[in-house]
Amino acid sequence: MSEQTTRSPARAAVAPLYLAGFTTAFGAHGIAAALGAESEDIGLNLLAFGVILALYDVAEVFLKPIFGSLSDRIGAKPVILGGLALFALASAAGIFTATPLWLGVARFGQGVAASAFSPASSAAVARLAPPGTAGRHFGRYGSWKGLGYALGPLIGAGLILLDGFRGLFLALTLLALVTAVLVAVFVPALPVLPRRRYTLRDLVVQTVEPGFLIPTLVLAAGTGALGVSVGFLPLLGRTLGLGTAGSMAAVTVLALASTLTQPVAGRLRDAGRIRTRSGSTAGLLGIAVGIAALALFPSPIVLYAAALLVGVGIGIATPLAFAHLADSTPHERMGRTMGNAELGRELGDAGGPLLVGAIAAAAALPLGLGALAVVIAAIAATGAVALRDTTAPGSE
């Protein structure tokens, strides 16, 4: 199959990749919410709870670049299928017992699996997108991931109520298997392209060049804001007297705003109505303004307004950054680029809450949120100066 053929996909060829994005997001957030709800019933202390939660992300931080590079060497489709099969196997381990040990094994296995099929799926979306359509394809991919983030805790809680951890892990097993079947049937086998040998110096230069580094910083900033919002918006909501339902509603507003914005932002980029530099800068500034407003003027109205601003900002910046990476990366190393970009997102996901939490513990939560707003605004300013727009597809 020629590369030109793979650039004219039917919608059915990329839809399973969107479902793979939903699977990794649902797996991460659905299990995390279920663990929080059931930790006392299964005998988890706070340390064990934190360790089990972290296993998924630890696996992703170390393994995503490796699996991304592997997809360049053997093809994206085998890596996606192998990752989904491992995700199903790891999830099945949680069906039969809910002891802390087995939950840890299942959680780590899911993290390893997601490390494989997540960057490989991103690389496949990039290579399957016809010229000039990377924005809309990554907008849809990000939208499906956003649905996983938004619905994961809700679906996970519902399954826990119906059948405990067994029901949740069974659903994740079936979801991974169905996704694997759809990928096997509908996603074409992308050819492995010739790759020249890269020296260590080449790898360092490619990692720090603005065309890669700035979009990755944009992704990290957006994911860091998401991680902080998921954790701290409910906390702030309760301190403002909103109760559990009202506090969680703020997270839902953020997630739905991001989910609905991403496809629109992607289409506008492809139509030339939004440029990557100006759009990602505006998106990050919107996030910074929302977080800063929450730090300075905490109230229920500001909480929901900030959630909306952050969600829209993430929804604008994320598909633009991914599409920029797809358009500026040669296809023979697309997997490595997406794996390293996903690593940047994971570091942002961990670094944002750590920054806010550390400053909040030492001083006050508003100062922590203010510090995050300053960091995100600085990344926005850096992108406005250093990022070059491109809509040309990656060349071979």
Short mmCIF file of all heavy atoms in Angstrom, two decimals, residues 8-58:
data_model
loop_
_atom_site.label_atom_id
_atom_site.label_comp_id
_atom_site.label_asym_id
_atom_site.label_seq_id
_atom_site.Cartn_x
_atom_site.Cartn_y
_atom_site.Cartn_z
N SER A 8 -5.86 8.99 1.99
CA SER A 8 -7.23 9.21 1.60
C SER A 8 -8.14 8.24 2.32
O SER A 8 -8.73 7.36 1.71
CB SER A 8 -7.37 9.06 0.07
OG SER A 8 -6.50 9.94 -0.59
N PRO A 9 -8.22 8.33 3.65
CA PRO A 9 -8.94 7.32 4.40
C PRO A 9 -10.44 7.56 4.41
O PRO A 9 -10.92 8.68 4.38
CB PRO A 9 -8.38 7.50 5.81
CG PRO A 9 -8.09 8.97 5.88
CD PRO A 9 -7.65 9.36 4.50
N ALA A 10 -11.20 6.48 4.41
CA ALA A 10 -12.61 6.59 4.74
C ALA A 10 -12.72 6.88 6.23
O ALA A 10 -11.79 6.64 7.00
CB ALA A 10 -13.33 5.29 4.38
N ARG A 11 -13.87 7.42 6.62
CA ARG A 11 -14.03 7.73 8.03
C ARG A 11 -13.88 6.48 8.89
O ARG A 11 -13.39 6.55 10.02
CB ARG A 11 -15.40 8.36 8.26
CG ARG A 11 -15.69 8.71 9.70
CD ARG A 11 -16.91 9.59 9.84
NE ARG A 11 -16.69 10.89 9.24
CZ ARG A 11 -17.55 11.91 9.31
NH1 ARG A 11 -18.70 11.77 9.94
NH2 ARG A 11 -17.27 13.07 8.75
N ALA A 12 -14.27 5.33 8.35
CA ALA A 12 -14.16 4.08 9.12
C ALA A 12 -12.72 3.73 9.44
O ALA A 12 -12.45 3.00 10.39
CB ALA A 12 -14.81 2.93 8.34
N ALA A 13 -11.75 4.24 8.65
CA ALA A 13 -10.35 3.90 8.89
C ALA A 13 -9.78 4.61 10.10
O ALA A 13 -8.86 4.10 10.75
CB ALA A 13 -9.52 4.23 7.64
N VAL A 14 -10.30 5.79 10.41
CA VAL A 14 -9.76 6.54 11.54
C VAL A 14 -10.65 6.47 12.78
O VAL A 14 -10.18 6.72 13.90
CB VAL A 14 -9.52 8.03 11.17
CG1 VAL A 14 -8.36 8.15 10.21
CG2 VAL A 14 -10.78 8.66 10.59
N ALA A 15 -11.93 6.11 12.61
CA ALA A 15 -12.84 6.04 13.76
C ALA A 15 -12.34 5.10 14.85
O ALA A 15 -12.44 5.44 16.04
CB ALA A 15 -14.24 5.64 13.29
N PRO A 16 -11.80 3.91 14.52
CA PRO A 16 -11.27 3.05 15.60
C PRO A 16 -10.13 3.70 16.38
O PRO A 16 -9.94 3.39 17.57
CB PRO A 16 -10.80 1.80 14.86
CG PRO A 16 -11.60 1.77 13.60
CD PRO A 16 -11.75 3.21 13.23
N LEU A 17 -9.37 4.59 15.74
CA LEU A 17 -8.29 5.28 16.44
C LEU A 17 -8.86 6.28 17.44
O LEU A 17 -8.30 6.48 18.51
CB LEU A 17 -7.38 5.98 15.43
CG LEU A 17 -6.74 5.07 14.38
CD1 LEU A 17 -5.97 5.90 13.35
CD2 LEU A 17 -5.82 4.06 15.04
N TYR A 18 -9.98 6.92 17.08
CA TYR A 18 -10.64 7.79 18.05
C TYR A 18 -11.13 6.98 19.26
O TYR A 18 -11.03 7.44 20.40
CB TYR A 18 -11.84 8.49 17.41
CG TYR A 18 -11.54 9.32 16.19
CD1 TYR A 18 -12.52 9.58 15.24
CD2 TYR A 18 -10.26 9.85 15.96
CE1 TYR A 18 -12.26 10.35 14.12
CE2 TYR A 18 -9.99 10.60 14.84
CZ TYR A 18 -11.00 10.85 13.91
OH TYR A 18 -10.74 11.60 12.79
N LEU A 19 -11.65 5.78 18.99
CA LEU A 19 -12.11 4.93 20.08
C LEU A 19 -10.94 4.49 20.96
O LEU A 19 -11.08 4.35 22.18
CB LEU A 19 -12.85 3.71 19.52
CG LEU A 19 -13.56 2.82 20.54
CD1 LEU A 19 -14.57 3.62 21.36
CD2 LEU A 19 -14.25 1.66 19.83
N ALA A 20 -9.77 4.30 20.35
CA ALA A 20 -8.58 3.97 21.15
C ALA A 20 -8.22 5.13 22.07
O ALA A 20 -7.83 4.92 23.23
CB ALA A 20 -7.40 3.64 20.22
N GLY A 21 -8.35 6.36 21.59
CA GLY A 21 -8.11 7.52 22.44
C GLY A 21 -9.09 7.57 23.60
O GLY A 21 -8.72 7.87 24.73
N PHE A 22 -10.36 7.27 23.33
CA PHE A 22 -11.37 7.21 24.39
C PHE A 22 -11.00 6.14 25.42
O PHE A 22 -11.16 6.34 26.63
CB PHE A 22 -12.74 6.91 23.79
CG PHE A 22 -13.83 6.71 24.81
CD1 PHE A 22 -14.52 7.79 25.34
CD2 PHE A 22 -14.16 5.44 25.25
CE1 PHE A 22 -15.52 7.61 26.27
CE2 PHE A 22 -15.16 5.25 26.18
CZ PHE A 22 -15.85 6.34 26.70
N THR A 23 -10.50 5.00 24.94
CA THR A 23 -10.19 3.88 25.83
C THR A 23 -9.12 4.25 26.84
O THR A 23 -9.24 3.96 28.03
CB THR A 23 -9.74 2.66 25.00
OG1 THR A 23 -10.80 2.28 24.12
CG2 THR A 23 -9.40 1.48 25.91
N THR A 24 -8.05 4.87 26.39
CA THR A 24 -6.97 5.22 27.33
C THR A 24 -7.43 6.27 28.33
O THR A 24 -7.10 6.20 29.52
CB THR A 24 -5.70 5.68 26.59
OG1 THR A 24 -4.68 5.94 27.54
CG2 THR A 24 -5.95 6.93 25.76
N ALA A 25 -8.23 7.26 27.89
CA ALA A 25 -8.72 8.29 28.81
C ALA A 25 -9.72 7.71 29.81
O ALA A 25 -9.68 8.01 31.01
CB ALA A 25 -9.35 9.43 28.03
N PHE A 26 -10.62 6.87 29.32
CA PHE A 26 -11.61 6.25 30.19
C PHE A 26 -10.93 5.32 31.19
O PHE A 26 -11.27 5.29 32.38
CB PHE A 26 -12.63 5.49 29.34
CG PHE A 26 -13.62 4.68 30.13
CD1 PHE A 26 -14.18 5.16 31.31
CD2 PHE A 26 -14.02 3.42 29.68
CE1 PHE A 26 -15.10 4.41 32.02
CE2 PHE A 26 -14.93 2.68 30.38
CZ PHE A 26 -15.49 3.17 31.56
N GLY A 27 -9.94 4.58 30.72
CA GLY A 27 -9.22 3.68 31.62
C GLY A 27 -8.51 4.42 32.73
O GLY A 27 -8.54 4.01 33.89
N ALA A 28 -7.89 5.56 32.38
CA ALA A 28 -7.15 6.32 33.38
C ALA A 28 -8.08 6.94 34.41
O ALA A 28 -7.90 6.78 35.62
CB ALA A 28 -6.32 7.40 32.70
N HIS A 29 -9.11 7.64 33.95
CA HIS A 29 -9.96 8.40 34.87
C HIS A 29 -11.05 7.55 35.50
O HIS A 29 -11.47 7.81 36.63
CB HIS A 29 -10.56 9.59 34.14
CG HIS A 29 -9.61 10.74 34.02
ND1 HIS A 29 -9.97 12.05 34.18
CD2 HIS A 29 -8.28 10.76 33.78
CE1 HIS A 29 -8.93 12.84 34.04
NE2 HIS A 29 -7.89 12.08 33.78
N GLY A 30 -11.56 6.54 34.77
CA GLY A 30 -12.59 5.69 35.36
C GLY A 30 -12.07 4.88 36.53
O GLY A 30 -12.70 4.80 37.59
N ILE A 31 -10.89 4.30 36.37
CA ILE A 31 -10.29 3.53 37.46
C ILE A 31 -9.90 4.44 38.62
O ILE A 31 -10.09 4.10 39.79
CB ILE A 31 -9.04 2.77 36.94
CG1 ILE A 31 -9.46 1.69 35.94
CG2 ILE A 31 -8.29 2.13 38.09
CD1 ILE A 31 -10.23 0.55 36.53
N ALA A 32 -9.36 5.63 38.31
CA ALA A 32 -8.96 6.54 39.37
C ALA A 32 -10.16 6.93 40.24
O ALA A 32 -10.08 6.94 41.47
CB ALA A 32 -8.31 7.79 38.77
N ALA A 33 -11.29 7.25 39.60
CA ALA A 33 -12.48 7.62 40.36
C ALA A 33 -12.99 6.45 41.19
O ALA A 33 -13.41 6.61 42.34
CB ALA A 33 -13.57 8.11 39.41
N ALA A 34 -12.96 5.24 40.60
CA ALA A 34 -13.44 4.07 41.32
C ALA A 34 -12.57 3.75 42.52
O ALA A 34 -13.07 3.39 43.60
CB ALA A 34 -13.49 2.87 40.38
N LEU A 35 -11.26 3.91 42.35
CA LEU A 35 -10.36 3.67 43.48
C LEU A 35 -10.64 4.64 44.62
O LEU A 35 -10.64 4.27 45.80
CB LEU A 35 -8.90 3.81 43.03
CG LEU A 35 -8.31 2.62 42.26
CD1 LEU A 35 -6.95 3.00 41.70
CD2 LEU A 35 -8.19 1.40 43.15
N GLY A 36 -10.89 5.90 44.25
CA GLY A 36 -11.19 6.87 45.29
C GLY A 36 -12.47 6.55 46.03
O GLY A 36 -12.56 6.73 47.26
N ALA A 37 -13.47 6.04 45.32
CA ALA A 37 -14.74 5.74 45.95
C ALA A 37 -14.69 4.49 46.80
O ALA A 37 -15.39 4.36 47.81
CB ALA A 37 -15.82 5.60 44.88
N GLU A 38 -13.84 3.52 46.44
CA GLU A 38 -13.85 2.22 47.08
C GLU A 38 -12.62 1.93 47.92
O GLU A 38 -12.43 0.81 48.38
CB GLU A 38 -13.97 1.10 46.00
CG GLU A 38 -15.25 1.17 45.19
CD GLU A 38 -16.46 0.80 46.02
OE1 GLU A 38 -16.44 -0.25 46.68
OE2 GLU A 38 -17.44 1.59 46.02
N SER A 39 -11.74 2.92 48.11
CA SER A 39 -10.46 2.67 48.76
C SER A 39 -10.63 2.09 50.17
O SER A 39 -9.90 1.18 50.57
CB SER A 39 -9.62 3.95 48.79
OG SER A 39 -10.32 4.97 49.48
N GLU A 40 -11.58 2.61 50.94
CA GLU A 40 -11.75 2.11 52.30
C GLU A 40 -12.28 0.69 52.31
O GLU A 40 -11.89 -0.13 53.15
CB GLU A 40 -12.70 3.04 53.07
CG GLU A 40 -12.12 4.41 53.34
CD GLU A 40 -13.04 5.26 54.20
OE1 GLU A 40 -14.08 4.73 54.65
OE2 GLU A 40 -12.72 6.44 54.41
N ASP A 41 -13.19 0.37 51.37
CA ASP A 41 -13.80 -0.96 51.36
C ASP A 41 -12.80 -2.07 51.02
O ASP A 41 -13.01 -3.22 51.39
CB ASP A 41 -14.96 -1.00 50.36
CG ASP A 41 -16.12 -0.12 50.79
OD1 ASP A 41 -16.20 0.17 52.00
OD2 ASP A 41 -16.92 0.28 49.93
N ILE A 42 -11.74 -1.73 50.28
CA ILE A 42 -10.77 -2.77 49.92
C ILE A 42 -9.49 -2.64 50.73
O ILE A 42 -8.48 -3.27 50.41
CB ILE A 42 -10.45 -2.72 48.40
CG1 ILE A 42 -9.86 -1.36 48.02
CG2 ILE A 42 -11.67 -3.03 47.57
CD1 ILE A 42 -9.42 -1.27 46.57
N GLY A 43 -9.51 -1.82 51.76
CA GLY A 43 -8.39 -1.76 52.69
C GLY A 43 -7.20 -0.97 52.21
O GLY A 43 -6.07 -1.26 52.60
N LEU A 44 -7.42 0.05 51.36
CA LEU A 44 -6.31 0.86 50.88
C LEU A 44 -6.07 2.03 51.82
O LEU A 44 -6.99 2.80 52.11
CB LEU A 44 -6.62 1.41 49.48
CG LEU A 44 -6.47 0.49 48.28
CD1 LEU A 44 -6.85 1.24 47.01
CD2 LEU A 44 -5.06 -0.04 48.16
N ASN A 45 -4.83 2.17 52.32
CA ASN A 45 -4.50 3.39 53.02
C ASN A 45 -4.09 4.45 52.00
O ASN A 45 -4.02 4.19 50.80
CB ASN A 45 -3.39 3.15 54.05
CG ASN A 45 -2.12 2.60 53.43
OD1 ASN A 45 -1.76 2.96 52.30
ND2 ASN A 45 -1.44 1.72 54.14
N LEU A 46 -3.83 5.67 52.46
CA LEU A 46 -3.55 6.76 51.54
C LEU A 46 -2.30 6.51 50.70
O LEU A 46 -2.25 6.83 49.51
CB LEU A 46 -3.41 8.07 52.32
CG LEU A 46 -4.71 8.64 52.89
CD1 LEU A 46 -4.41 9.89 53.70
CD2 LEU A 46 -5.70 8.95 51.78
N LEU A 47 -1.28 5.90 51.31
CA LEU A 47 -0.05 5.63 50.57
C LEU A 47 -0.30 4.62 49.45
O LEU A 47 0.11 4.83 48.31
CB LEU A 47 1.04 5.11 51.52
CG LEU A 47 2.37 4.71 50.85
CD1 LEU A 47 2.97 5.90 50.12
CD2 LEU A 47 3.33 4.16 51.89
N ALA A 48 -0.97 3.52 49.79
CA ALA A 48 -1.26 2.51 48.77
C ALA A 48 -2.16 3.07 47.68
O ALA A 48 -1.98 2.78 46.48
CB ALA A 48 -1.92 1.29 49.42
N PHE A 49 -3.12 3.90 48.08
CA PHE A 49 -4.00 4.53 47.11
C PHE A 49 -3.20 5.38 46.13
O PHE A 49 -3.38 5.31 44.91
CB PHE A 49 -5.03 5.39 47.86
CG PHE A 49 -5.92 6.22 46.98
CD1 PHE A 49 -6.85 5.64 46.15
CD2 PHE A 49 -5.81 7.61 46.98
CE1 PHE A 49 -7.67 6.41 45.34
CE2 PHE A 49 -6.62 8.39 46.18
CZ PHE A 49 -7.56 7.78 45.37
N GLY A 50 -2.27 6.19 46.66
CA GLY A 50 -1.45 7.03 45.80
C GLY A 50 -0.55 6.24 44.88
O GLY A 50 -0.38 6.58 43.71
N VAL A 51 0.03 5.16 45.40
CA VAL A 51 0.92 4.32 44.59
C VAL A 51 0.16 3.69 43.43
O VAL A 51 0.62 3.70 42.28
CB VAL A 51 1.59 3.24 45.46
CG1 VAL A 51 2.29 2.22 44.58
CG2 VAL A 51 2.57 3.87 46.43
N ILE A 52 -1.02 3.13 43.72
CA ILE A 52 -1.79 2.48 42.66
C ILE A 52 -2.22 3.49 41.60
O ILE A 52 -2.18 3.22 40.39
CB ILE A 52 -3.01 1.75 43.26
CG1 ILE A 52 -2.54 0.55 44.10
CG2 ILE A 52 -3.95 1.26 42.17
CD1 ILE A 52 -3.65 -0.18 44.81
N LEU A 53 -2.63 4.68 42.04
CA LEU A 53 -2.99 5.72 41.08
C LEU A 53 -1.80 6.08 40.19
O LEU A 53 -1.94 6.28 38.99
CB LEU A 53 -3.47 6.97 41.82
CG LEU A 53 -4.92 7.01 42.30
CD1 LEU A 53 -5.20 8.37 42.92
CD2 LEU A 53 -5.89 6.73 41.18
N ALA A 54 -0.61 6.17 40.79
CA ALA A 54 0.57 6.65 40.06
C ALA A 54 1.11 5.62 39.08
O ALA A 54 1.79 5.99 38.12
CB ALA A 54 1.67 7.03 41.05
N LEU A 55 0.81 4.33 39.28
CA LEU A 55 1.41 3.29 38.44
C LEU A 55 1.09 3.49 36.96
O LEU A 55 1.94 3.28 36.09
CB LEU A 55 0.92 1.91 38.90
CG LEU A 55 1.54 1.39 40.21
CD1 LEU A 55 0.85 0.11 40.65
CD2 LEU A 55 3.04 1.16 40.03
N TYR A 56 -0.12 3.89 36.66
CA TYR A 56 -0.54 4.11 35.28
C TYR A 56 0.32 5.20 34.64
O TYR A 56 0.88 5.02 33.55
CB TYR A 56 -2.02 4.52 35.29
CG TYR A 56 -2.73 4.46 33.95
CD1 TYR A 56 -3.55 3.37 33.63
CD2 TYR A 56 -2.63 5.49 33.02
CE1 TYR A 56 -4.23 3.33 32.43
CE2 TYR A 56 -3.30 5.46 31.82
CZ TYR A 56 -4.12 4.37 31.52
OH TYR A 56 -4.79 4.32 30.32
N ASP A 57 0.46 6.32 35.34
CA ASP A 57 1.21 7.45 34.79
C ASP A 57 2.71 7.18 34.75
O ASP A 57 3.40 7.62 33.82
CB ASP A 57 0.94 8.71 35.62
CG ASP A 57 -0.51 9.14 35.53
OD1 ASP A 57 -1.07 9.09 34.43
OD2 ASP A 57 -1.09 9.52 36.57
N VAL A 58 3.23 6.46 35.74
CA VAL A 58 4.66 6.13 35.74
C VAL A 58 5.01 5.30 34.51
O VAL A 58 6.01 5.55 33.83
CB VAL A 58 5.04 5.38 37.03
CG1 VAL A 58 6.43 4.77 36.91
CG2 VAL A 58 4.99 6.33 38.23
#
